[in-house]
Amino acid sequence: MPIAGNIEAAGRWRAGSLSLDARAPGGPIERAWDKARFEMKLVSPANKRKHEIIVVGSGLAGASAAATLAELGYNVKCFCFQDSPRRAHSIAAQGGINAAKNYHNDGDSVYRLFYDTVKGGDFRSREANVYRLAQISVQIIDQCVAQGVPFAREYGGTLANRSFGGAQVSRTFYARGQTGQQLLLGAYQALERQVDAGRVKMFPRTEMLDLVVVDGRARGIVTRDLVSGAIESHAADAVVLATGGYGNVYYLSTNAKGSNCTAIWRAYKRGAAFANPCFTQIHPTCIPVSGHYQSKLTLMSESLRNDGRIWVPLNKGDKRAPNEIPEAERDYYLERRYPSFGNLVPRDVASRNAKAVCDEGRGVGEHGLGVYLDFADAIARLGRAVIEERYGNLFEMYQRITGENPYQTPMRIYPAIHYTMGGLWVDYQLMSTIPGLFVIGEANFSDHGANRLGASALMQGLSDGYFILPYTLGNYLAGEKFEKADPLSPEFREAQDAVAERTRRLLEARGRRTVDSFHRELGKLVWDYCGMSRNAGGLEHAIGKIRELGEEYWREVKVPGAAKEINQSLEKAGRVADFFELAELMCIDALHRDESCGAHFREEHQTPDGEALRDDARFSYVAAWQYNGGDPPLLNKEPLRFEYVHPSQRSYK
Amino acid sequence: MKLIFHIWRQRDGRSPGRMVRYEQDGLNPDMSMLEALDVLNEELILKGEDPVVFEHDCREGICGSCGFMINGVAHGPLSKTTVCQLTLRHFDNGAELYLEPWRAKAFPILRDLMVDRSALDRIIASGGYISTPAGSAPDGNAIPVSKEAAERAMDAAACIGCGACVAACPNASASLFTGAKIAHLGLLPQGQPERARRALRMVARMNEEGFGQCTNIGECEAVCPKGIRVEVISRMNRDFLKASWTARRAGAD
């Protein structure tokens, strides 16, 4: 598949020569996972305890993996930068988790969840992975119920469901607006049980700053103790990264302030391929920005779109209060344009439409960057009590932040960066291009293609952690021979020295600008040129600007304090340094992908009515980027084949 | 708007600490308390001073990282709100605010407003779980749970582990935190097999960690950002007493 030669000639990237074997089993897709499991080599119980495994990250994927590996008998070391594994950012997921249980008898099935996910991802994901995810979804609910996750119930005691964006069936399980919290606490409690049993050693307040590769295999990590500042090496037989997404490259996002790309970026620089970095998801329902001091954006669960109706004034510059705008002068633009899905279109479609009406000058709120999400009809139809039961805590949160009461006046919402579909490339076994380095949850690229459906992130994190990695990791260990890795070997020392050197450079720059001021500027560049819509000229411009700003960063950043103490500025400084490099790769990837697909909307490629226009002949592949020293990155391609869900233009009309 | 902060500054657990006064002008009433501290820290960094260390992560009131005392009240004056969601519009222009870390023997101070809350993890590790290894679960609907039980369990499970209850309690008791987990799991059918063991072990660990006893003061409920009720402490006491009694009888047999 040739790529537009003129751009490649500009020297932004070169062709790579990695062979990307996805190791997906052939044969009927319904039996692929069974077949793969049967073909896997097993580690005997007596040998499991001889293996040391490192898990970095303690969110849904990391905590569930660490707990399950320990239950199987492995020795696990689990790392997180927070003061407790319970605080990982999975905790903030609100709306729910999908599963193909068909408890509502409304026509759901494993196949339908698979189909919806491939289609929702705009045909840029690997079919075999997605099918497996849909199959496992069913087991996840069982597991979480058994752990005591207090899912919402019907009066008869059975599990309740709600519907969610991108789906026409009711398959989302939830625990009020705190589903992520409850699922994470379930995994965290399972993890703590293993900590108590001595099978997991937990390292809170410890940040991974490099990956150690010995003889081509991942054998350990270098960390910084965030309290003492000590740089330490940890050796193991395999390393699992469960470090989440990189949405904070945009500075303002719905991610927690600490969420960062450092672990996966360090792995990239040690040879792991990075797939589809430009696939970043904008969530349609967030509270709009209110001022320049703003430190983060707050998401309002997408489940609100079940009962809320989205609208803007029909006429430009209509500054009347929402209650004074008569029905005839409102434009319920999603219901108008997409009659069959209405307010429940997928996230990318909802976000782009919000941007479009605001760009037309019909946005609401002080800065004109907002649309209404109105519950008046739902309250009239169902009564306030029902709405309160469904969304009470979300309404409370909205009122706390904005000072407005959404029971009386419509909410104002605007899209914000929320999730990153891109991540380290992994095969069907969840192993990266570095043998022994596994990547799970949001940190990998695997299952969501170019756009993730609502309530599917929790499903993927737990599927990877509870039910896939524990098998595939064993398969890897059983097929390899291990001598104990030596933390004093040259590879470990080199990595440790590199970390110490970076730390020294950041502290000694003693420039004139704070880390946050750089981060804010970087974030705005990425949001403006590699955000909700992109074009070639803008991306070229952004790449130049990002490089310039990145160079200034290393000269002009001011990091107070010392290396051997609690130093939150130093922590941030290292993360932002990596965001600069990642931002450039995102723009290169967005530039090379000369089509629109899912969340990646290239203005040059749209249908006459403004929908994303894919180019399957040229771009039906995963772009897996390889670090190439200071030279342009290398582009490798994993072709995608669709044997079950045939690529069509997505239609939610 | 203008605020006058008095903030507890302490280098580490071994050094003495003191209150330091900072005047902040030009603040926006829509800012959160933590955003005001961000602005202060940016100024301190540019002046070559050490920024104020405080914990925070999600900034939407769910991760439980943040928290400090504002004028003696854990998480400040607004009920059911963590400091990350506490906007300045709730304070008078020119107000003086005293910010101090959680103070409890079981929460050693690490720096400024940051304390070590790992004792709470150890309480959970001692029994705050239902033992179900991955793969061993029956179908989700095989275990019916009444809507009421699920709702009450969820009320208790909403705890974010921030530690405000401990900080507010004159005895520095962790009973609200521990009781919340015991109630959450004990209200569900899945939690019954380990109910007695859970209560015995979690209460024992809570005592070992140096938390005080509950004397029914209720400050914990008043400051809890998730509105956890002191009823969970009654449940804990009931489960603990019953389990101790049964254990003693079993020992005598």
Side-chain angles (χ1 to χ4, degrees):
Chain A
M1 274 175 280
I3 302 169
N6 58 332
I7 299 175
E8 191 176 10
R12 293 294 185 208
W13 68 87
R14 293 185 193 148
S17 57
L18 271 183
S19 76
L20 296 170
D21 180 3
R23 292 197 282 169
I29 202 163
E30 302 81 12
R31 300 196 43 213
W33 178 229
D34 267 351
K35 183 164 172 258
R37 275 190 296 178
F38 181 69
E39 285 167 2
M40 279 180 203
K41 294 189 266 301
L42 301 173
V43 181
S44 79
N47 285 337
K48 284 196 179 105
R49 60 174 172 265
K50 295 179 190 159
H51 288 292
E52 191 104 30
I53 314 292
I54 284 174
V55 178
V56 187
S58 65
L60 285 179
S64 61
T68 307
L69 290 168
E71 284 162 6
L72 289 171
Y74 296 105
N75 286 308
V76 179
K77 282 180 169 181
C78 183
F79 297 81
C80 68
F81 70 78
Q82 297 90 344
D83 71 319
S84 160
R86 70 179 289 154
R87 309 207 196 281
H89 188 55
S90 306
I91 199 130
Q94 298 170 352
I97 176 166
N98 286 330
K101 283 284 197 186
N102 194 30
Y103 281 159
H104 276 234
N105 201 27
D106 56 0
D108 200 9
S109 63
V110 167
Y111 200 90
R112 188 177 293 280
L113 176 54
F114 157 67
Y115 176 92
D116 286 351
T117 308
V118 172
K119 179 185 168 202
D122 214 3
F123 306 95
R124 290 294 174 262
S125 51
R126 197 187 285 146
E127 275 193 330
N129 283 56
V130 179
Y131 195 87
R132 174 178 65 186
L133 177 66
Q135 277 176 310
I136 290 174
S137 70
V138 179
Q139 269 173 286
I140 295 171
I141 298 304
D142 301 342
Q143 177 64 25
C144 296
V145 167
Q147 284 173 344
V149 171
F151 283 120
R153 299 277 171 166
E154 305 290 354
Y155 281 104
T158 54
L159 289 153
N161 289 124
R162 55 165 67 136
S163 49
F164 231 74
Q168 288 169 309
V169 290
S170 212
R171 64 159 75 100
T172 304
F173 295 77
Y174 63 100
R176 291 195 193 142
Q178 290 131 280
T179 316
Q181 179 199 26
Q182 294 309 314
L183 297 176
L184 181 62
L185 292 180
Y188 155 76
Q189 286 160 203
L191 175 64
E192 289 295 341
R193 175 171 162 252
Q194 296 303 316
V195 170
D196 201 49
R199 287 189 285 259
V200 174
K201 182 154 172 43
M202 192 66 220
F203 293 80
R205 295 195 199 274
T206 309
E207 181 164 24
M208 167 180 162
L209 292 179
D210 211 345
L211 175 76
V212 182
V213 180
V214 182
D215 298 329
R217 298 185 302 184
R219 293 305 304 270
I221 60 172
V222 174
T223 59
R224 181 169 179 271
D225 178 324
L226 301 183
V227 177
S228 71
I231 308 282
E232 284 158 354
S233 287
H234 298 271
D237 294 332
V239 175
V240 180
L241 298 187
T243 53
Y246 49 88
N248 269 344
V249 66
Y250 292 89
Y251 187 73
L252 282 181
S253 85
T254 66
N255 283 188
K257 293 294 284 175
S259 300
N260 67 83
C261 73
T262 287
I264 55 173
W265 194 252
R266 299 283 114 204
Y268 167 72
K269 294 188 87 169
R270 293 281 174 192
F274 202 122
N276 301 334
C278 80
F279 289 170
T280 54
Q281 182 170 73
I282 318 277
H283 195 288
T285 51
C286 301
I287 300 178
V289 178
S290 65
H292 69 94
Y293 52 82
Q294 192 137 354
S295 60
K296 81 154 277 160
L297 296 172
T298 302
L299 179 141
M300 303 300 296
S301 168
E302 180 167 36
S303 60
L304 292 168
R305 287 200 276 146
N306 276 323
D307 289 308
R309 298 180 68 195
I310 294 176
W311 64 278
V312 290
L314 198 57
N315 302 314
K316 254 191 238 182
D318 188 339
K319 290 286 170 208
R320 285 177 291 177
N323 306 343
E324 291 164 13
I325 301 179
E327 206 54 33
E329 291 173 52
R330 298 176 176 195
D331 180 11
Y332 295 89
Y333 57 91
L334 289 178
E335 296 171 22
R336 171 172 59 80
R337 296 191 60 185
Y338 308 95
S340 68
F341 277 70
N343 294 300
L344 290 177
V345 292
R347 292 176 170 179
D348 55 334
V349 178
S351 296
R352 260 197 310 280
N353 276 279
K355 181 178 189 299
V357 294
C358 292
D359 289 350
E360 286 166 19
R362 296 196 287 148
V364 300
E366 198 185 323
H367 308 281
L369 291 176
V371 299
Y372 289 125
L373 177 61
D374 197 336
F375 289 87
D377 286 357
I379 292 171
R381 190 176 72 243
L382 303 164
R384 180 176 158 142
V386 172
I387 295 301
E388 201 167 329
E389 186 190 312
R390 285 187 191 164
Y391 311 109
N393 60 327
L394 298 169
F395 277 41
E396 247 177 66
M397 180 157 98
Y398 182 84
Q399 184 161 14
R400 205 176 298 133
I401 293 172
T402 61
E404 292 171 11
N405 180 353
Y407 291 105
Q408 287 161 7
T409 185
M411 288 183 178
R412 284 173 297 111
I413 53 164
Y414 197 66
I417 282 288
H418 169 60
Y419 185 88
T420 54
M421 283 73 67
L424 293 184
W425 184 89
V426 289
D427 62 16
Y428 189 72
Q429 306 259 333
L430 303 182
M431 192 161 86
S432 71
T433 54
I434 300 176
L437 178 69
F438 291 78
V439 191
I440 58 177
E442 190 180 350
N444 74 24
F445 88 105
S446 65
D447 297 348
H448 307 296
N451 175 53
R452 179 174 66 72
L453 292 182
S456 286
L458 306 184
M459 172 173 74
Q460 187 223 332
L462 291 179
S463 162
D464 289 359
Y466 283 131
F467 295 113
I468 303 175
L469 181 88
Y471 300 107
T472 60
L473 188 71
N475 180 47
Y476 167 75
L477 294 171
E480 299 268 325
K481 287 213 175 356
F482 292 97
E483 278 157 29
K484 210 166 168 51
D486 176 11
L488 297 174
S489 67
E491 290 86 353
F492 276 92
R493 299 183 89 125
E494 184 268 322
Q496 217 171 307
D497 290 348
V499 167
E501 170 62 14
R502 272 169 67 79
T503 307
R504 190 191 59 77
R505 276 184 65 201
L506 288 167
L507 285 167
E508 288 182 5
R510 295 198 188 96
R512 284 170 300 185
R513 290 183 61 180
T514 62
V515 176
D516 275 355
S517 83
F518 277 105
H519 194 179
R520 224 179 249 122
E521 194 175 339
L522 170 69
K524 184 156 180 356
L525 271 173
V526 191
W527 174 251
D528 285 347
Y529 297 106
C530 197
M532 245 186 299
S533 69
R534 299 117 186 233
N535 63 59
L539 289 164
E540 282 285 0
H541 172 76
I543 292 170
K545 282 283 182 202
I546 290 166
R547 277 191 194 162
E548 248 171 61
L549 192 65
E551 280 163 25
E552 189 192 331
Y553 182 74
W554 284 96
R555 266 197 331 270
E556 286 297 332
V557 71
K558 184 172 175 120
V559 183
K564 300 275 183 196
E565 60 176 0
I566 293 176
N567 189 338
Q568 293 175 319
S569 303
L570 178 62
E571 294 163 26
K572 272 196 271 189
R575 295 168 191 165
V576 172
D578 289 331
F579 278 136
F580 269 105
E581 298 181 15
L582 169 64
E584 184 177 329
L585 187 70
M586 283 167 64
C587 291
I588 293 174
D589 185 43
L591 183 63
H592 117 277
R593 192 169 279 279
D594 193 20
E595 65 160 349
S596 293
C597 60
H600 170 64
F601 189 75
R602 279 284 295 266
E603 289 158 9
E604 301 94 323
H605 303 284
Q606 46 183 310
T607 62
D609 52 355
E611 302 295 335
L613 193 60
R614 281 199 327 271
D615 184 346
D616 290 332
R618 287 166 69 216
F619 290 101
S620 187
Y621 62 79
V622 177
W625 298 91
Q626 212 182 346
Y627 181 63
N628 189 25
D631 292 329
L634 304 176
L635 170 62
N636 302 280
K637 299 171 187 174
E638 180 202 336
L640 293 171
R641 271 179 290 275
F642 294 90
E643 294 172 38
Y644 295 86
V645 187
H646 294 293
S648 54
Q649 181 175 349
R650 288 189 307 169
S651 169
Y652 292 93
K653 295 186 190 266
Chain B
M1 70 186 281
K2 179 175 164 180
L3 288 174
I4 296 157
F5 289 108
H6 300 265
I7 303 178
W8 183 259
R9 304 302 309 260
Q10 182 173 348
R11 231 188 139 62
D12 53 43
R14 294 176 303 277
S15 318
R18 66 195 175 99
M19 299 300 283
V20 178
R21 185 176 189 276
Y22 302 95
E23 237 180 81
Q24 286 254 272
D25 216 340
L27 296 170
N28 184 318
D30 286 336
M31 279 179 166
S32 72
M33 179 57 65
L34 298 191
E35 284 166 343
L37 291 182
D38 288 343
V39 173
L40 171 65
N41 277 345
E42 292 283 287
E43 289 170 18
L44 291 177
I45 292 170
L46 290 176
K47 277 198 277 183
E49 293 176 34
D50 282 331
V52 179
V53 172
F54 62 92
E55 284 204 86
H56 64 100
D57 201 19
C58 77
R59 298 207 176 189
E60 48 188 87
I62 192 75
C63 75
S65 295
C66 69
F68 42 77
M69 309 298 274
I70 301 176
N71 292 349
V73 181
H75 287 302
L78 198 63
S79 83
K80 294 192 195 174
T81 304
T82 52
V83 286
C84 65
Q85 293 200 311
L86 174 63
T87 46
L88 303 187
R89 70 180 86 97
H90 299 289
F91 297 97
D92 294 334
N93 193 17
E96 292 206 45
L97 304 179
Y98 291 78
L99 312 188
E100 291 176 84
W102 293 161
R103 295 194 191 277
K105 185 177 154 202
F107 288 170
I109 291 184
L110 294 173
R111 187 163 185 169
D112 298 342
L113 302 175
M114 179 192 270
V115 300
D116 178 353
R117 290 169 292 188
S118 55
L120 299 182
D121 287 327
R122 292 189 291 273
I123 292 176
I124 297 295
S126 70
Y129 49 75
I130 292 172
S131 304
T132 38
S136 62
D139 183 84
N141 266 347
I143 313 166
V145 178
S146 76
K147 191 178 172 74
E148 198 210 344
E151 293 295 325
R152 286 176 64 204
M154 182 63 222
D155 287 342
C159 168
I160 56 173
C162 63
C165 48
V166 176
C169 175
N171 308 328
S173 169
S175 291
L176 194 74
F177 171 83
T178 309
K181 189 48 64 187
I182 287 174
H184 158 210
L185 300 175
L187 278 159
L188 296 170
Q190 304 92 301
Q192 298 314 310
E194 291 168 296
R195 188 167 164 185
R197 174 184 183 271
R198 182 180 306 123
L200 289 174
R201 290 183 49 129
M202 289 181 77
V203 170
R205 184 68 69 102
M206 179 173 74
N207 294 337
E208 284 161 29
E209 293 290 347
F211 292 103
Q213 299 295 326
C214 171
T215 51
N216 296 321
I217 294 167
E219 283 289 330
C220 52
E221 179 181 304
V223 299
C224 176
K226 295 296 144 180
I228 310 242
R229 310 285 307 269
V230 287
E231 289 156 12
V232 301
I233 302 180
S234 324
R235 279 194 77 89
M236 174 179 83
N237 289 337
R238 201 161 58 233
D239 279 8
F240 178 77
L241 264 176
K242 199 171 155 200
S244 314
W245 188 245
T246 315
R248 204 171 301 160
R249 271 211 320 223
D253 282 344

